[in-house]
Amino acid sequence: MTEQRPGEHMAAEISQQPAILAGIVERQAEIAEVAEAISKRPPRFALLAARGSSDHAALYAKYLIEVLLGLPCGLVSPSTATLYGARPDLRDVLFITVSQSGGSPDLIEVTETARRQGALTVSVTNTPDSPLRAAAELGVDIGAGLEKAVAATKTYSATLLSLYLLIDAVRGGKGEDAERLGELAQQTLDGADEGVQRAVDRYRFVDRVLTTGRGYSYATALEGSLKLAETSYLAARAYSGADLLHGPVAAVNGETAVLAVTSKGHGVGAMQEVVEAVGKRGADVLAVGSAAADVPAALRIGVAPSAEEVAPILEILPIQRIALGLSLARGGDPDSPRGLLKVTKTR
């Protein structure tokens, strides 16, 4: 039996994403059926429940719902139901629970509670036979296939795309901006090799990293921070670019590495001031995104241009590669980070 090399699973699953994304686009009619059921019960507002990487996907969906559907949307705290017994009136509310495994007890319980309280509940999961799917009235199967590495990669991008297609279909869209995502993902991965290696060489001995983004890309900053923390054990912290300027920028200095997510659209204009501010404080800036060339940075990794609404699906790809490379360079195994399990069960 061939011995598994460190990071083998994570590397393979990162590389699988273009094909997985293309497959989801081909199956968008299934997602559109769920969207049609939602459209028949128009919600007053929406709520999202998730943990870990799925929580970052839920934040992305929050932006989509507020911008594309014009609905108020919030991220729930499952513990208000599971630990404190809160039972709010959720009639005419869309309640979406996002979970790769569909097995966390708190997410299952809060979904069951929301359904009893009158919400239209939807699960978005990679495990269609999970307890979460059974708890929800409707379900979206992201179809990413078995993920062996502990750190989520392909399930994260597949969840983002599934959420985009769902929300776009609710507003009557046909997913046109997602049609070429498989191709664009391959272009992004192929074009990032040199930049990723330079980033790994430059940051392999760094101890502290800040990640930052605005708008849709804030979710990418959060997920990037998590990937760096769980695979390379870095002291990584994510901030909205706006929040970074409201105080934490004071802690930035010449020993700080800043990963700035900058893609074309409304977000890049808002990020210009952020990147300039951390640069003036001596931070070493790595810009990732389709607008990376438009901001001052020590290193830049471009991402294939796309509609701003789907850019996070592409932005995360080179960051996953950086996390993989840094983990290996620092002597770790990103497939099995210490102290972590693939399914984390909380209440």
Side-chain angles (χ1 to χ4, degrees), residues 125-145:
T125 177
N126 195 45
T127 312
D129 58 351
S130 64
L132 176 61
R133 175 62 191 95
E137 184 173 344
L138 302 171
V140 173
D141 175 16
I142 71 173

Side-chain angles (χ1 to χ4, degrees), residues 41-61:
R41 293 170 57 179
R44 293 182 292 121
F45 61 91
L47 293 172
L48 295 138
R51 295 288 193 195
S53 286
S54 294
D55 202 28
H56 306 152
L59 178 65
Y60 167 69

Side-chain angles (χ1 to χ4, degrees), residues 144-163:
L146 178 64
E147 192 171 55
K148 296 181 180 179
V150 171
T153 53
K154 64 180 183 178
T155 53
Y156 179 72
S157 60
T159 299
L160 295 187
L161 178 53
S162 298
L163 286 165

Side-chain angles (χ1 to χ4, degrees), residues 301-318:
I301 299 177
V303 168
S306 68
E308 186 176 9
E309 292 83 356
V310 297
I313 302 167
L314 302 173
E315 294 164 348
I316 194 60
L317 303 180

Side-chain angles (χ1 to χ4, degrees), residues 149-264:
V150 171
T153 53
K154 64 180 183 178
T155 53
Y156 179 72
S157 60
T159 299
L160 295 187
L161 178 53
S162 298
L163 286 165
Y164 170 75
L165 290 173
L166 176 67
I167 294 162
D168 181 62
V170 170
R171 68 166 176 169
K174 303 297 182 183
E176 291 91 345
D177 288 333
E179 286 179 356
R180 297 180 57 237
L181 273 179
E183 175 187 344
L184 296 178
Q186 192 64 61
Q187 289 179 15
T188 296
L189 287 172
D190 290 345
D193 286 344
E194 181 180 351
V196 167
Q197 188 56 57
R198 290 179 64 198
V200 170
D201 292 341
R202 190 177 185 97
Y203 302 119
R204 64 181 299 180
F205 298 114
V206 75
D207 292 320
R208 186 164 62 116
V209 177
L210 296 183
T211 63
T212 183
R214 289 292 304 269
Y216 296 110
S217 295
Y218 180 35
T220 308
L222 287 162
E223 177 63 10
S225 176
L226 174 60
K227 285 292 156 286
L228 293 170
E230 68 183 351
T231 61
S232 300
Y233 315 135
L234 288 168
R237 181 72 184 267
Y239 291 98
S240 155
D243 288 333
L244 183 58
L245 295 182
H246 274 268
V249 70
V252 173
N253 57 33
E255 297 182 357
T256 309
V258 175
L259 193 163
V261 188
T262 56
S263 285
K264 294 184 182 299

